[in-house]
Structures are given as structure tokens and as C-alpha cells.
Amino acid sequence: MIGWLSGIVVHRDARQGVVILNVGGVGYELRVSLQTLAAVGDPDEHCALWVHTHAREDALLLFGFATQAEKQLFLLLTGVPKVGPKHAMAVLGGFPPAELVDHLTQGREVMLTKIPGIGKKTAEQILLSLGDKVAGFADELAGPRAPTPASAEPEPPAIVEEAKQVLVDLGWRVKEVELALAKLTAGGPVTASLDDLVRRTLAQLMER
């Protein structure tokens, strides 16, 4: 059972939500949320993640988390009937952990249903199962995170298009993503990193 990994980033893929770490010469592929991905450095940088090992009949999957609190939230979510790892990661990627906990404790079903793949019945089940269980997470969410890489300044049109594709791949409608990106980029050239732009656009989508 693997519970924590510390190594060098070999590869990070925002579209697939995957990070590969070189730990002692072995490459570990971890599935991560958008929130954790933003805390993972660029290739050749050091990274440490809490890990959950998920065993299936046909595969052994590793899920990585920037904080123990996010890992615990993942375990709680996967304990909800009909909520598997894929849905759990989608929920974790939809909001920063502290904001997610707030939505859960306040019973904001409408915020959960904005996440692609989370319907009304699933959102209701999550709130029913976890509303009272996550109230004590506030203090833990203030814990240390992996260092966030400095923002780069890639070609604005390219990074905007890439951010759009990431969100469309996650299940958002093309038109909704384009409107949110247009609002964010209306003020001038984009200088944010891809991860930051994806997170800011996601926040815009959640506000609709």
C-alpha cells in the first residue's frame, strides 16, 4: 500500500489529470484533481504527494493529493453510494478544498450539480452522506501544500485554446467555456500559467 510519494516530476498532463513522478528511478503515474495539479511543479522539479492506492480487478490506480485533507475528502466521497474515484476527483477539482467543505456543510446542491458528471441525485446523496462529516475539516485545510510553480508567459492564444480544451475534455460545454474565457481575457493579454487559467475559468463557470 502506497500512502505518500516524494520525487521528481517527469510529466504533468492537465487534460488527463495525470502526474508522473520519478521516485528512485521508478515512474509512478498518479491521477490528481485540478486543485492538486496547480500545486505540482514543472518537469524536473521536486514534488511530494499524499497517495491513495485503489485496487481494481483489472488495474492498480494511484491517486495523488497535495494535502492530507484533500485525500480524506476523497475517501469520504468514494464512500458515498454510486460515487466512484472518477466522480470524487471531479468534485475535488471543482472547488478549492475549503470552498468545497463550505458547500457541503451548507447543503448547496446547486453548486455540486454544476460539476460535469454530477447530477441532482448524486449531489443529493453526497450532501446527505457527508454534510455532517466534513464540518471538522476547516483547520486541516490550512495545512502546507506543495510549492506552486511560478507563472509562465506563453503565447496567449495558445494557452487560452489549451485551457478551453482541458475544460471541454472535463465535460463542460464549448460555448460556456468560451464565454468564461472571454470574460477573463477581456482585460488584456493572458500572463497566467495554464493551471491558473483553468482554475480561474472553472471558478467563472461555477458562478453561472
Side-chain angles (χ1 to χ4, degrees), residues 4 11 14 21 26 88 115 127 142 149 151-152 154 158 167 175 177 191 197:
W4 184 76
H11 176 71
L21 292 184
V26 178
I115 301 170
L127 292 175
S151 296
L167 289 163
K175 190 63 177 178
V177 174
T191 59
L197 182 58

Side-chain angles (χ1 to χ4, degrees), residues 66-182:
T67 65
Q68 282 184 292
E70 188 186 32
K71 178 181 177 179
Q72 290 168 359
L73 284 171
F74 173 83
L75 294 175
L76 286 174
L77 284 164
T78 53
V80 176
K82 298 184 179 180
V83 176
K86 183 177 180 179
H87 279 153
M89 293 304 278
V91 172
L92 291 173
F95 309 95
E99 188 175 338
L100 173 59
V101 168
D102 186 53
H103 292 324
L104 293 175
T105 56
Q106 297 300 318
R108 298 191 185 107
E109 177 189 312
V110 66
M111 299 304 295
L112 295 182
T113 57
K114 290 183 178 182
I115 301 170
I118 303 299
K120 181 178 175 62
K121 289 185 178 179
T122 301
E124 289 176 346
Q125 188 62 59
I126 290 174
L127 292 175
L128 180 64
S129 301
L130 303 185
D132 295 331
K133 294 181 180 179
V134 298
F137 272 79
D139 293 337
E140 295 181 59
L141 293 174
R145 297 179 65 90
T148 302
S151 296
E153 294 189 4
E155 290 290 328
I159 197 171
V160 170
E161 185 62 29
E162 192 169 357
K164 169 185 168 182
Q165 191 58 53
V166 168
L167 289 163
V168 170
D169 288 346
L170 288 173
W172 291 97
R173 295 179 181 176
V174 174
K175 190 63 177 178
E176 292 178 331
V177 174
E178 289 177 343
L179 288 172
L181 280 167

Side-chain angles (χ1 to χ4, degrees), residues 5 11 16-22 26-32 49 51-52 60-64:
L5 286 172
H11 176 71
Q16 299 297 322
V18 167
V19 171
I20 297 179
L21 292 184
N22 177 353
V26 178
Y28 291 88
E29 180 177 293
L30 301 103
R31 286 157 174 76
V32 299
L49 295 174
V51 177
H52 170 69
L60 187 66
L61 305 177
L62 300 179
F63 293 86

